[in-house]
């Protein structure tokens, strides 16, 4: 999970460098404010969504996604426990075991190395957490 390192013009970064955003022992995050900033970015949307890593601390990464209608996060897996919390809209998560419909305030927990994809039938948002597990490749 890495942020886009796109620039607006030569020498100008879209976002502060990760080392400038992360590293605090305590990090207070307002999801509505972060979503508003994310949706307001000037960069093009890829696969119908934008994403930003909100924090990384040890094995844990916290990523915010803003989906447009029809947006997708293609099939992938992570070497850690994944949680997907729907914040807005309706999301569909697909795994080998089935299809899970998430609406706001629902959380799906996925074991390490389980392939999954996410799609948004309507505009929405999710908070994804990955907690890496040693020796999971």
């Amino acid at each position: 999970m890495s942020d886009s390192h796109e620039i607006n013009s030569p020498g100008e970064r879209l976002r502060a460098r990760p080392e400038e955003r992360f590293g605090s022992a305590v990090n207070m995050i307002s999801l509505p404010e972060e979503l508003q900033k994310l949706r307001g970015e000037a960069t093009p949307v890829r696969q119908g969504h934008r994403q930003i890593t909100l924090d990384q601390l040890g094995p844990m990464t916290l990523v915010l996604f803003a989906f447009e209608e029809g947006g997708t996060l293609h099939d992938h897996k992570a070497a850690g426990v994944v949680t997907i919390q729907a914040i807005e809209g309706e999301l569909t998560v697909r795994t080998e075991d089935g299809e899970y419909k998430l609406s706001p305030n629902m959380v799906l927990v996925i074991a390490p190395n389980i392939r999954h994809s996410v799609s948004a039938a309507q505009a929405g948002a999710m908070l994804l957490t990955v907690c890496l597990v040693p020796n999971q490749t």
Side-chain angles (χ1 to χ4, degrees), residues 75-88:
D75 187 53
H76 65 286
K77 65 180 181 176
V81 176
V82 173
T83 67
I84 298 173
Q85 178 181 352
I87 299 170
E88 296 176 355

Side-chain angles (χ1 to χ4, degrees), residues 111-125:
N113 296 311
I114 300 295
R115 297 195 72 75
H116 57 281
S117 64
V118 181
S119 60
Q122 58 182 280

Side-chain angles (χ1 to χ4, degrees), residues 4-6 9-10 14 16 21 27 36 39 41 49 57 59 62 64 73 75 80 93 101 103 105-106 136:
S4 159
H5 293 287
E6 296 179 17
S9 61
L14 174 64
R21 294 192 330 239
N27 186 6
Q36 182 178 17
R39 288 179 169 139
E41 287 183 351
H49 75 272
L57 186 60
L62 196 61
L64 182 64
L73 179 58
D75 187 53
V93 181
K101 302 282 187 185
S103 54
N105 302 314
M106 294 180 76
Q136 296 288 316

